Every structure is written in C-alpha cells, then in structure tokens.
Amino acid sequence: MEFRKSHGLHGEITVPGDKSISHRAVMFGSIAKGTTEIHNFLQGADCLSTIACFQKMGIDIENNRDRVIVRGNGLRGLRRPQDVLDCGNSGTTTRLISGILCAQEFDVTLTGDESIRKRPMKRIMEPLSLMGADITSMNGNGCAPLLIKGRPLKGIHYTSKVASAQVKSAILLAGLYAGSPTSVTEPYVSRNHSEIMLDLFGADIKASGTTCTIQPARELHGAQVMVPGDISSAAYFIAAGLMVPGSQLLIRNVGINPTRDGIIRVCQDMGADLELLNVTSGAGEPTADILVRSSSLHGTEIKGAIIPTLIDELPMIAAMACMAEGDTVIRDAAELKVKESNRIAVMVENLKAMGAHVAETEDGMIIHGKKPLHGASIDSRKDHRIAMTFAVTALCADGVTDIKDADCVNISYPGFYHDLEQLMK
Ligand code: S3P
C-alpha cells in the first residue's frame, strides 16, 4: 500500500473502542452470571479471537457490531472446548484466558499465529504454576501452544519482574478461583482496566501503590460496559496532527485512564499544542476529546514509570521524535522487543530506511531529530502498530512510502486507512 506527503489533516475523528477493555468485557462477561452488554466493542481481529474462544466453551455471545451481548454461565460455567483454542495474534487473549483456564475442571490447548507462538509465556506459566496450575509449553520453548490442565488453585503474593497488565491480569483472574487471597506487585503500575472492570462485576479487589489484591469470588455479575475510544489508536491521529504542517484535528471520546495516558504527557513535554476537552471523570474509565494542532516539537527523555503507560505508543512516539528539534532518548523499554514484533529493531531499521538518524540501544533507542525523511519500502512484519506508525510517518516524507502487509491493521483498527484518508480531503 502506498502513502505520500500530506499538506495538512483537518476535521474530527472518533476512533474505535479500546482493545484492552473490549477483551476484558467479553472474558469477564463470560465467567459472570447474567447478561453483559458491551457498547462500542472493538471489532478488531484480536477481540474477535477472544469472542471465538469463549463461544467454543459454550458461551452465548451475540455480536451485533455496535452492541455485543454476552450471556455468562458463571465462574464454573465454561464447557470443555471440542477443539484447540486459537488466540490468533492476540497476547491479551492468550495470557488472560490462561489465568481463567488453569482453574477449570477440564484440559485445554491454546495456540495462535506465527507471532504468538514466539512470544514469551513463561511470565504467566511461572506465577500460575506457583498457584498450583498445570500449564506446559508443548514445544518446551516457553511459548504457545500451551497445554492447560485444570486444577484447584491457591492464592500467592507474586512479585513480577515486568510491569505487564497481561501478567497481572492472568494472576488476578486465577485468584478469583483460588482458595485464599492473591496479590501481585509490579515494578511500575501497568494498565488497570482489569481492576476497574472486576470491581464493576462485583469482585473484591483493591490496589495500593504497585500492589493489587483480589479475594476468591463466589460469582461475578454481568454489567453494562461502555468502551471508550482506544488511546492507542488515537495516538496515530495525535501524532499526525502534530507532525504534519497545517493540521488541526479533534479526536473524540478517547479513554484517558492515567495508566494509559503517557503519550499525552510526552507530547506536552515535547511542546505539543494539545488540549483535552469535555473531560469526563466519573467512576470507571475517564474520557476526553483531544484537540491537536501542528506544532514545533523538541526532543525529550522517556523512561521509568511512564513506560507502561505508553508502551504501545512508543513506535509512533519514536517516529514523531524524528520531526522534533534535538535528541529523544527512550530507556527502560526492553518489553518492546517481545511485542507482536521486536519493535525496537523493526522501528530502527524502517526509520533508517526513511533517512532518520536513530540508534538502537539495549532497552530503547536514541533519535536525533529534524533529519529530512524520504519515502521508502517499509516491512511492517505484520505488526499492526508498525504499519500504522509508518502510514503516518509517510505523510511527512518526500516521495512514496510503500508498506508491506499493510492489512495487518485489522488486528486493532480495521478502518484505519479509510479514517486517515478522510482527514486529508
Ligand atoms: C495489554 C497490555 C500490554 C499491551 C497490550 C495489551 C492488555 O501488554 O502492550 O497491547 O490488554 O493487558 P503487556 O501487559 O504484556 O505489557
């Protein structure tokens, strides 16, 4: 797919529902008693994988596109699937569902696509095993396919080496079924959508600093879930509005949970003209409309506690830093190496191909800004965030940029290219 320089983006956009929250609403709805109604559910391939897995375990899920209805069977109401469960490209599906499955009264095999079968699963296998789970990597390489044999579980206090919401959530979900309370302590607070939604569904869950504790549950209760727009999808329009000269964009109804809003803080730190309008801050997930105008950006340093709050936005932030005056340093982001692709290596390689001055480091990268970019042939490695990042970066480059496997955006944002094009008219 080909992209060219833009002379400004204008207008309003509403991005699709949040991926993390959509996954959780289906999962928690499936193990709750009663009906869960999900509004603004993300119809991306990852979330559809989650729906398909629970349907295979006997859950009645009606996908009406604008509204998904999940008729849950309760904590012990899943049925043994006839088949292997296919998690597709989705790390969230694989890791969170493992936490639920290891407490069931049946055995199950989980697998996924080529990328998912290379992603590290020891990070959930270790804590779940400590809880008494029987979970093995069938190829012995610490990756899927995973064979999970349901067992009674006990509560633990686990200190995780990585700030990962997927690891934290897998343990907390297993904790619902354990015989005693379960706590997780992480180095920095990762996204807390599981905590917020489990509380909404009636679980007894409390967070204090970087530790979160859940009590064993008798049942969860279905609820209404309003999914806010995904800030990780909004990130491409935030960046496009700031990077492309002569732009002004209003991005409506974006989730701005403080465990996800790092991109807003970094943009402001880089000198962005960015305003939050119509901020809602009731119980649950806060939202805002985000207004951005083209800005003269300057470099910054991004490290430590802010990293988990913008982990999926770092590819776009790195490309944005190429437009900024001075250097941008990204540290403490080694987790990027184990995402859908090795996002440090893939970003550095593709940015260099466009003429950027960027260097890979152990746990991040250093970007020397303001080097003019030119079009190039970009290999997305079938990673949706890489494809979207370069579709936006191409708008600031001379010549033509060609993105390989551009259709991988369907994982998290099926209408992305259409929405981007609308803003250029
Ligand atoms: C997610 C957590 C993050 C993020 C992923 C979605 C989630 O992964 O990168 O896209 O929904 O919990 P980690 O928890 O592994 O950092």
Side-chain angles (χ1 to χ4, degrees):
M1 202 162 180
E2 290 188 349
F3 300 85
R4 287 176 178 75
K5 195 166 203 155
S6 159
H7 299 288
L9 287 86
H10 298 273
E12 290 186 18
I13 164 123
T14 305
V15 294
D18 188 275
K19 180 157 78 71
S20 294
I21 298 174
S22 296
H23 278 298
R24 286 160 171 78
V26 169
M27 293 188 187
F28 304 175
S30 295
I31 57 169
K33 275 257 186 249
T35 302
T36 290
E37 205 174 292
I38 313 168
H39 299 264
N40 199 33
F41 178 82
L42 170 63
Q43 297 286 338
D46 267 10
C47 298
L48 298 179
S49 294
T50 292
I51 289 187
C53 286
F54 283 94
Q55 283 174 330
K56 278 192 176 175
M57 291 189 285
I59 304 299
D60 175 4
I61 304 175
E62 202 180 301
N63 187 351
N64 299 318
R65 297 203 71 81
D66 53 329
R67 213 170 52 122
V68 171
I69 314 278
V70 183
R71 296 187 181 87
N73 280 345
L75 272 184
R76 306 265 167 207
L78 297 176
R79 280 209 311 265
R80 180 180 185 276
Q82 296 296 312
D83 228 333
V84 168
L85 293 181
D86 184 356
C87 303
N89 189 244
S90 175
T92 307
T93 310
T94 314
R95 297 198 178 107
L96 269 62
I97 215 174
S98 296
I100 296 172
L101 294 178
C102 62
Q104 303 304 313
E105 282 164 10
F106 52 79
D107 301 351
V108 56
T109 305
L110 284 185
T111 192
D113 69 7
E114 215 186 308
S115 152
I116 215 71
R117 283 184 272 116
K118 287 190 195 131
R119 296 185 63 190
M121 293 298 151
K122 274 200 185 134
R123 53 180 56 200
I124 54 152
M125 291 165 63
E126 183 187 288
L128 294 176
S129 300
L130 290 171
M131 295 178 79
D134 183 342
I135 172 167
T136 44
S137 160
M138 293 172 81
N139 295 329
N141 59 355
C143 301
L146 300 176
L147 172 62
I148 302 178
K149 297 183 178 174
R151 290 278 183 277
L153 302 179
K154 58 174 187 286
I156 55 167
H157 186 156
Y158 189 70
T159 300
S160 175
K161 286 201 269 306
V162 283
S164 160
Q166 293 181 356
V167 171
K168 173 175 64 179
S169 303
I171 300 168
L172 293 173
L173 286 168
L176 287 171
Y177 296 89
S180 49
T182 298
S183 298
V184 186
T185 299
E186 39 185 3
Y188 301 116
V189 179
S190 64
R191 64 190 67 191
N192 64 357
H193 307 302
S194 293
E195 294 90 308
I196 291 174
M197 204 185 294
L198 282 168
D199 178 66
L200 175 71
F201 278 63
D204 181 348
I205 181 161
K206 297 215 163 35
S208 166
T210 57
T211 299
C212 183
T213 302
I214 194 162
Q215 303 297 324
R218 208 165 289 137
E219 282 298 355
L220 301 180
H221 306 288
Q224 291 256 348
V225 180
M226 299 296 300
V227 183
D230 196 328
I231 193 167
S232 299
S233 298
Y236 304 104
F237 300 104
I238 295 173
L242 298 175
M243 286 160 75
V244 180
S247 300
Q248 175 167 322
L249 292 179
L250 181 65
I251 312 151
R252 290 211 181 267
N253 185 35
V254 182
I256 52 159
N257 178 318
T259 64
R260 292 286 297 283
D261 71 350
I263 182 162
I264 294 173
R265 288 180 272 148
V266 163
C267 288
Q268 285 167 338
D269 194 41
M270 293 175 83
D273 181 349
L274 182 156
E275 284 175 65
L276 297 184
L277 309 170
N278 300 319
V279 177
T280 66
S281 54
E285 299 283 352
T287 64
D289 298 338
I290 303 177
L291 178 65
V292 286
R293 298 186 191 90
S294 338
S295 306
S296 313
L297 302 174
H298 51 77
T300 187
E301 191 176 20
I302 308 167
K303 61 174 185 184
I306 201 169
I307 293 290
T309 73
L310 45 66
I311 190 74
D312 291 342
E313 291 67 75
L314 280 170
M316 191 66 258
I317 291 170
M320 194 164 63
C322 295
M323 302 293 134
E325 192 72 53
D327 292 355
T328 294
V329 182
I330 300 171
R331 293 188 215 283
D332 304 322
E335 277 294 295
L336 285 181
K337 296 182 188 171
V338 291
K339 295 294 179 187
E340 287 83 328
S341 69
N342 176 343
R343 288 183 177 158
I344 297 181
V346 175
M347 280 307 299
V348 168
E349 177 190 310
N350 284 318
L351 284 175
K352 276 185 175 165
M354 295 184 80
H357 281 201
V358 44
E360 183 172 344
T361 62
E362 271 287 91
D363 61 353
M365 51 192 121
I366 300 172
I367 301 120
H368 309 288
K370 281 276 179 210
K371 304 287 179 288
L373 300 186
H374 53 74
S377 177
I378 300 297
D379 188 347
S380 70
R381 309 289 165 93
K382 300 190 180 157
D383 181 336
H384 54 131
R385 304 223 177 271
I386 300 294
M388 289 189 275
T389 292
F390 282 95
V392 169
T393 310
L395 307 179
C396 301
D398 287 324
V400 180
T401 298
D402 181 42
I403 302 179
K404 196 175 155 206
D405 293 317
D407 61 351
C408 62
V409 303
N410 290 334
I411 289 295
S412 64
Y413 195 159
F416 176 71
Y417 299 116
H418 171 265
D419 287 357
L420 187 63
E421 208 183 309
Q422 291 303 307
L423 300 171
M424 290 195 269
K425 282 184 178 155

